[in-house]
Amino acid sequence: MSTSTSDSSFEPGATLVAGATHICELPLRWGDSDALNHLNNTLYFRLMEEARMQILYGADLRLPADDGPILAHASCDFLRPLTYPATVRVTHTLTRIGRSSMEFELVLDKVGEEGGGPYARGRNVLVWMDYVANRSAPWPEATLAALARVLAPPAACTADGVRVAG
């Protein structure tokens, strides 16, 4: 079971801006670890993927369609090993919005271990695609507005990504 901190309290007149965040908490599974009880490196990308899909599904973006987002870039810097048992907090922070792309900084840390520093940092670039023409296209205004309802505006979070009640 996962927990997302997105809610509709940020919905009215939402505008997508750099600095907006989405926080998702995901439990580690015992079988995701290697013999040293370290989370397998590929699973860091799975955690990022699940959190990203919660953003997209939260904005009501579904496949198949004639257009939609693709993941154009994904990277991860592994800083410390995650070990089972744990719940991982995945924080997406929007750093750039372009005509057809947007970039997110990601931070993975353990729930309940505040102040201990991140376990991994990542970067994702999403591109809006016309799947039929197989080329990028401008982000539709309705999609940007839907994403703005899912991502918390920068003022709604503290420096460590925790939502401030409003």
Side-chain angles (χ1 to χ4, degrees):
M1 178 179 204
S2 65
T3 330
S4 176
T5 58
S6 295
D7 59 40
S8 59
S9 64
F10 303 106
E11 202 165 315
T15 302
L16 191 60
V17 295
T21 61
H22 180 270
I23 301 166
C24 174
E25 295 179 358
L26 301 165
L28 295 184
R29 300 174 307 175
W30 177 83
D32 294 337
S33 299
D34 61 19
L36 297 174
N37 196 31
H38 297 152
L39 186 69
N40 182 289
N41 288 359
T42 61
L43 275 295
Y44 288 76
F45 287 96
R46 290 283 190 182
L47 292 167
M48 293 179 199
E49 174 187 58
E50 177 61 30
R52 182 175 60 253
M53 294 314 296
Q54 287 191 17
I55 292 170
L56 298 177
Y57 272 71
D60 205 30
L61 298 175
R62 303 284 196 272
L63 296 175
D66 290 339
D67 57 358
I70 64 157
L71 179 63
H73 174 84
S75 63
C76 183
D77 293 325
F78 306 99
L79 305 174
R80 300 191 291 158
L82 281 164
T83 56
Y84 178 86
T87 299
V88 177
R89 178 182 303 110
V90 182
T91 303
H92 276 78
T93 302
L94 182 63
T95 58
R96 184 186 59 78
I97 307 169
R99 179 190 77 83
S100 62
S101 65
M102 63 179 62
E103 184 173 336
F104 290 92
E105 177 184 290
L106 291 92
V107 175
L108 280 68
D109 58 23
K110 279 187 181 180
V111 172
E113 194 179 275
E114 282 55 56
Y119 283 76
R121 290 188 181 278
R123 181 175 158 262
N124 283 179
V125 176
L126 298 178
V127 174
W128 191 262
M129 289 289 293
D130 177 333
Y131 298 141
V132 176
N134 195 31
R135 65 175 175 248
S136 66
W139 285 95
E141 289 299 321
T143 299
L144 293 174
L147 289 168
R149 288 188 296 272
V150 175
L151 297 167
C157 293
T158 63
D160 59 355
V162 175
R163 288 232 180 176
V164 176

